[in-house]
Structure formats: structure tokens, C-alpha cells
């Protein structure tokens, strides 16, 4: 193995397996399931404090994503999001967009940060101007955005970074769905202007589930060891070497994403020839991922369209009231596209009926200029109440129609009659309402609630 090896971890594990060693160490299958599934022994390095092949792999990842540093997460972007927030320290002020992942909420609670909420538009997009205006009202230590969204729509990260830095705030980006951006000329930009960002390798690259990277940008004041210490707090001390090996394979031998985009161009043209089938457009997004297919069929909700596709053995990533979303990648088999085309052609037939689903839009909200104590809302004791008795209570979890997961209610926010009006029609089974008897910083002695149901879940 040389210092310039493209496969440092593979080389190290291959060398260990070639010894045919007596494995008196974890894991218990002793190599019978997979010879490269080992633990931290001489030569295999240690993810918690790497000095050998794992460190070299992180350096390769950093180069691929144009970051100052890159840390491996075997807990997905969930662990990376929490670690980014923990690395800020305790009790900071963070500007959050409402479409943040549940791991962001949990990270806020663990660190004791105060949240200031910023609405996205109907496409999940927030602008530099909105961030600048919000920070003028309520100065924060960091801004946390999601870009791209589940539908592959990206914000102007460079502009948002400029706005955040002008107010002395760091920019953190959940770029979980954008791991492939580093490997194609037609894909949105890697968010290199952020101070920290994460990507989920498993979502689009040829890597195993749970694999992610936490990238530290050139503008970040945080060093690698400070961020790694935060990541260690939420990551296993027995990391999977097959998971790390799959990251290495994906980075060392990236797929042909430009060729895949060309394949999709032809397929999209074919889809648009089907009467009643529509591809959702970019909307207000600064950039959009051409590999993400958001497909709607006239007269059908996304839920109904997904049901029809599944009956034809075509499984989309998600569905919502408007469309189905399909994650595509170069590793897709060609015959899958024929299956999808045929299923959509049948779904678009008029006799399939028309939708009776009435999707109410989220109400317009002003910027939340008061801080929200997420820790109190999330961690207090709870009891159940019906939804219709929840008005005036305070929410214990993020509640919204998922997917796509933009929170109509956020932990620590009061439940309004307008919110109940929008939530109620979307629930197709009896709602369970969680009431927390703790105090929040801005509404003392108010119980806290959250709602779950078939379409209403904790985000």
C-alpha cells in the first residue's frame, strides 16, 4: 500500500485477511460472513481516532467533495447533523428552516440550542434575502438549512453563506440527498461555501445504507478534532468496516453521472409523450437535480399514483399529495425504465378515476422572532389527548404531512385552530396526541403536544 493508493482501507483489510489470522476478536462470526468485517486490530485503524488507512480514506473524501476536512459517519447523516449542532457548543441560537430533518431537532435538544424558525416557500426553498432579514431581527450563532430537498431542489447556498457570515453566523447544510453532486458536470454544486455540511453516500452513490460524510468547509472556524469529538458522541465505537469500505469504493470508482443524465433526458422526453403525465418543474429553486424524477398523473394524487406503480412492481422513493418522487442513479437497470414507462402509461388512462384528495396548503407564517426551547418540548413527560382538544397547547415534535416533511408545527410552538383545520383532513385514522407537561421558555406551564397518524408523523 502506498500513500497515493485510491483504496487504502481495502488494501489494509485485504492484507489482514491474507494473513489467515486466528480471530480472537469481534465480530462473533469471525469472518465467516465476510472476511473484511473486522474490528480495530493492528493495521485496520480506528474510526474514532484514525491515523492509518481510515485517515487516508477521509483525505480522499475531502478531496472529492472539495472540503477542508471530511469525517466518516456510519450513522448516516443523522449522526452528522447532530454532530454539527453539538460542535457549536451549548445553548446557542440557531436559525432553522421548517423542512429540517428530525435529527436536526434532536441535535438542537441535546445541545440545548434555542431555535428561531424560518419558513421555506412551497418548494422547500429559502433565499439569501430571507436569511438576511431574519438575522437582522434575531441574531443567531448559526443557520441550518436543507439543500437539496427530497425532490432534489437546491437553495443558493453561496448566497446564503454570504448572508450568514455577514451577521457572524455559521452556515450548516443538510445536503444528505446531494452526495452525487461531486461527480457530474450537470449536477448542482457541492455546498463548499458552507462551514459544515453532510452528505448521505447511501442515498445516491453505490454505498451501503448508513454511510455518510461530515464535511468541514474552508470558512469554518472549527478544526477536525473538535468536530470529530462531537461525532464520537453519537456514533458507535464498533463501526462497520464493510460500510466504510463501501464509501471508499463509491469515492474511488464513481459512476458515470453525466452519462446517466443523458439517459434520463431521453426517458423524460418519452414520458412527456404520455397524455396526463407531468414532470414537476424547478419552481423557485436556485438549482435542481436532473436525476430526481418528480412525476404526477392527471386526476391522481401522488399517493394514488404510487399505489398503482407498486402494483406493477415499480417502487418509488416517496409520494405526497402532488407527485411520486423517484431516486435514479447510474446503477439503475435499463429494464426498470421500461417497467416505469409502461406503469405510468396505464396510470394515465382516464378510467383510473379522479382524485378526491383535498390538500390544504400551509398557512402563511411570519418569521418566528422569539426563541423556542426545543429541549423542553421534546424531553418532558407526556400523556395523550384527542386532536380536537389540542388547540392552545404547545407542540412536542415536528408535525407535518410526510413526505416531504415541512413542519406545519414545530416542537415548542403553540397549536392553533388553523393548524388543526389543516391537519385534521389529512389523518386517515384516529390521531394520537402527545401532551407534555413541561414548561417552555416562552409559554410557561403550557402542555406540549404532537400528532401522529397515517399521513401525519413526527418528522
Amino acid at each position: 500500500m502506498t500513500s497515493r493508493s485510491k483504496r487504502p482501507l481495502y488494501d489494509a483489510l485485504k492484507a489482514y485477511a491474507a494473513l489467515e489470522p486466528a480471530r480472537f476478536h469481534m465480530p462473533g462470526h469471525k469472518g465467516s460472513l465476510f472476511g473484511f468485517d473486522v474490528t480495530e486490530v493492528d493495521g485496520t485503524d480506528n474510526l474514532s481516532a484514525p491515523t492509518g488507512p481510515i485517515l487516508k480514506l477521509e483525505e480522499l473524501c475531502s478531496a472529492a467533495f472539495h472540503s477542508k476536512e471530511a469525517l466518516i459517519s456510519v450513522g448516516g447523516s443523522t449522526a452528522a447533523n447532530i454532530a454539527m449542532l453539538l460542535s457549536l457548543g451549548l445553548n446557542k441560537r440557531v436559525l432553522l428552516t421548517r423542512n429540517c430533518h428530525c435529527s436536526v431537532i434532536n441535535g438542537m435538544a441535546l445541545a440545548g440550542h434555542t431555535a428561531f424558525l424560518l419558513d421555506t416557500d412551497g418548494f422547500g426553498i429559502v433565499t439569501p434575502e430571507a436569511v438576511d432579514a431574519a438575522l437582522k431581527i434575531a441574531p443567531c450563532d448559526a443557520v441550518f438549512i436543507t439543500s437539496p430537498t427530497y425532490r432534489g431542489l437546491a437553495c443558493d447556498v453561496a448566497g446564503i453563506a454570504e448572508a450568514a457570515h455577514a451577521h457572524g453566523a455559521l452556515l450548516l447544510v443538510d445536503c444528505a440527498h446531494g452526495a452525487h453532486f461531486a461527480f457530474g458536470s450537470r449536477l448542482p454544486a457541492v455546498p463548499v461555501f458552507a462551514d459544515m455540511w453532510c452528505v448521505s453516500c447511501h442515498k445516491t452513490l453505490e454505498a451501503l445504507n448508513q454511510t455518510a460524510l461530515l464535511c468541514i468547509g474552508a470558512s469554518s472556524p472549527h478544526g477536525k478534532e473538535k468536530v470529530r469529538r462531537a461525532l464520537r458522541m453519537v456514533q458507535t465505537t464498533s463501526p462497520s468496516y464493510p460500510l466504510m469500505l463501501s464509501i471508499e469504493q463509491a469515492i474511488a470508482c464513481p459512476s458515470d453521472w453525466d452519462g446517466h443524465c443523458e439517459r434520463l433526458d431521453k426517458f423524460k422526453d418519452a414520458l412527456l409523450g404520455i397524455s396526463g403525465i407531468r414532470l414537476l418543474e424547478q419552481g423557485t429553486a436556485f438549482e435542481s437535480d436532473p436525476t430526481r424524477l418528480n412525476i404526477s398523473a392527471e386526476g391522481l394524487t401522488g399517493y394514488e399514483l404510487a399505489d398503482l406503480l407498486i402494483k406493477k412492481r415499480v417502487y418509488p422513493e416517496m409520494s405526497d399529495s402532488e407527485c411520486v418522487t423517484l431516486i435514479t442513479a447510474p446503477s439503475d437497470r435499463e429494464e426498470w425504465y421500461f417497467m416505469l414507462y409502461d406503469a405510468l402509461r396505464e396510470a394515465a388512462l382516464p378510467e383510473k378515476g379522479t382524485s378526491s384528495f383535498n390538500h390544504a396548503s400551509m398557512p402563511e407564517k411570519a418569521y418566528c422572532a422569539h426563541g423556542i426551547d426545543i429541549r423542553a418540548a421534546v424531553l418532558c413527560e407526556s400523556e395523550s389527548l384527542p386532536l380536537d382538544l389540542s388547540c392552545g397547547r404547545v407542540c412536542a415534535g415536528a408535525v407535518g404531512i410526510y413526505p416531504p416533511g415541512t413542519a406545519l408545527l414545530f416542537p415548542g410552538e403553540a397549536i392553533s385552530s388553523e393548524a388543526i383545520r389543516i391537519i385534521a383532513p389529512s389523518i386517515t385514522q384516529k390521531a394520537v396526541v402527545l401532551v407534555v407537561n413541561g414548561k417552555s421558555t416562552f409559554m410557561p406551564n403550557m402542555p406540549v403536544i404532537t400528532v401522529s397518524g397515517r399521513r401525519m408523523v413526527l418528522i
Side-chain angles (χ1 to χ4, degrees):
M1 182 179 68
T2 68
S3 60
R4 292 188 294 178
S5 171
K6 291 180 66 176
R7 302 293 306 276
L9 185 57
Y10 173 82
D11 292 343
L13 298 178
K14 182 179 179 181
Y16 176 73
L19 295 174
E20 297 185 357
R23 300 189 182 211
F24 292 105
H25 58 70
M26 301 181 293
H29 64 76
K30 306 293 184 174
S32 63
L33 295 180
F34 181 39
F36 284 6
D37 188 16
V38 298
T39 189
E40 298 93 338
V41 295
D42 185 48
T44 65
D45 210 356
N46 187 324
L47 180 59
S48 295
T51 58
I54 295 177
L55 178 61
K56 290 183 172 64
L57 171 55
E58 289 186 335
E59 291 169 351
L60 291 174
C61 293
S62 177
F65 287 89
H66 310 291
S67 61
K68 183 170 64 175
E69 306 286 356
L71 308 180
I72 292 171
S73 167
V74 292
S77 285
T78 290
N81 279 334
I82 295 173
M84 284 192 283
L85 289 162
L86 291 176
S87 70
L88 297 177
L90 292 174
N91 305 319
K92 302 298 183 180
R93 295 161 60 96
V94 181
L95 180 66
L96 293 181
T97 52
R98 284 185 175 270
N99 62 341
C100 68
H101 188 259
C102 61
S103 58
V104 177
I105 295 171
N106 294 334
M108 293 286 292
L110 289 172
H113 299 330
T114 299
F116 294 82
L117 300 182
L118 181 61
D119 287 348
T120 63
D121 65 15
F123 295 93
I125 300 300
V126 65
T127 64
E129 293 77 15
V131 170
D132 177 68
L135 291 175
K136 286 178 179 176
I137 298 172
C140 289
D141 300 289
V143 177
F144 203 120
I145 67 171
T146 300
S147 180
T149 66
Y150 225 123
R151 289 184 177 179
L153 305 179
C155 301
D156 178 4
V157 175
I160 293 173
E162 183 177 0
H165 294 159
H167 290 274
L170 301 182
L171 176 61
L172 315 181
V173 179
D174 180 350
C175 187
H177 284 270
H180 55 304
F181 292 176
F183 303 104
S185 62
R186 293 182 54 187
L187 303 176
V190 176
V192 294
F193 295 100
D195 295 284
M196 287 184 280
W197 72 92
C198 64
V199 295
S200 288
C201 300
H202 67 92
K203 282 183 166 61
T204 51
L205 303 183
E206 293 187 16
L208 295 173
N209 265 329
Q210 294 182 219
T211 53
L213 296 171
L214 197 172
C215 297
I216 304 173
S219 61
S220 175
H222 296 340
K224 177 195 286 189
E225 291 313 310
K226 179 177 183 179
V227 180
R228 192 187 299 280
R229 185 166 61 248
L231 185 57
R232 279 200 301 262
M233 295 174 66
V234 292
Q235 182 152 258
T236 177
T237 56
S238 299
S240 165
Y241 278 77
L243 293 186
M244 292 187 283
L245 199 60
S246 75
I247 295 177
E248 183 177 78
Q249 170 67 21
I251 300 300
C253 305
S255 301
D256 180 10
W257 286 92
D258 286 343
H260 178 58
C261 288
E262 292 178 6
R263 171 171 67 165
L264 284 179
D265 286 342
K266 298 176 183 178
F267 182 69
K268 290 174 184 177
D269 287 341
L271 285 186
L272 293 176
I274 303 175
S275 178
I277 293 298
R278 185 168 65 95
L279 297 174
L280 269 64
E281 298 177 354
Q282 182 171 333
T284 60
F286 183 75
E287 295 179 288
S288 65
D289 180 2
T291 72
R292 197 61 55 106
L293 294 178
N294 302 297
I295 304 173
S296 65
E298 186 176 351
L300 297 174
T301 67
Y303 304 126
E304 293 165 337
L305 178 56
D307 289 341
L308 293 174
L309 293 181
I310 291 170
K311 288 178 181 178
K312 297 295 184 179
R313 297 185 296 118
V314 176
Y315 285 75
E317 169 65 21
M318 75 166 194
S319 60
D320 56 33
S321 63
E322 188 174 17
C323 70
V324 293
T325 294
L326 300 95
I327 296 178
T328 74
S331 55
D332 294 343
R333 298 177 187 174
E334 200 65 32
E335 63 263 29
W336 295 352
Y337 290 90
F338 291 106
M339 293 170 63
L340 173 60
Y341 179 87
D342 289 342
L344 287 172
R345 189 171 57 180
E346 289 191 33
L349 294 176
E351 59 263 31
K352 292 298 180 182
T354 58
S355 170
S356 61
F357 186 88
N358 181 21
H359 176 59
S361 60
M362 289 179 58
E364 292 293 326
K365 288 175 174 281
Y367 167 66
C368 181
H370 58 263
I372 293 177
D373 183 357
I374 291 180
R375 169 177 279 181
V378 170
L379 298 181
C380 290
E381 294 296 325
S382 62
E383 61 184 1
S384 294
L385 280 180
L387 176 61
D388 57 3
L389 297 181
S390 65
C391 186
R393 306 286 185 154
V394 179
C395 190
V399 178
I401 299 173
Y402 187 91
T406 298
L408 175 63
L409 297 170
F410 214 79
E413 280 193 297
I415 306 296
S416 66
S417 57
E418 175 71 358
I420 294 174
R421 183 188 66 79
I422 294 172
I423 291 170
S426 301
I427 297 177
T428 55
Q429 63 186 48
K430 186 177 179 180
V432 177
V433 180
L434 207 60
V435 180
V436 178
N437 292 320
K439 298 180 180 180
S440 71
T441 55
F442 67 98
M443 281 192 179
N445 301 316
M446 292 291 286
V448 182
I449 73 127
T450 186
V451 185
S452 64
R454 182 169 183 265
R455 297 298 183 194
M456 307 300 301
V457 300
L458 292 181
I459 298 169

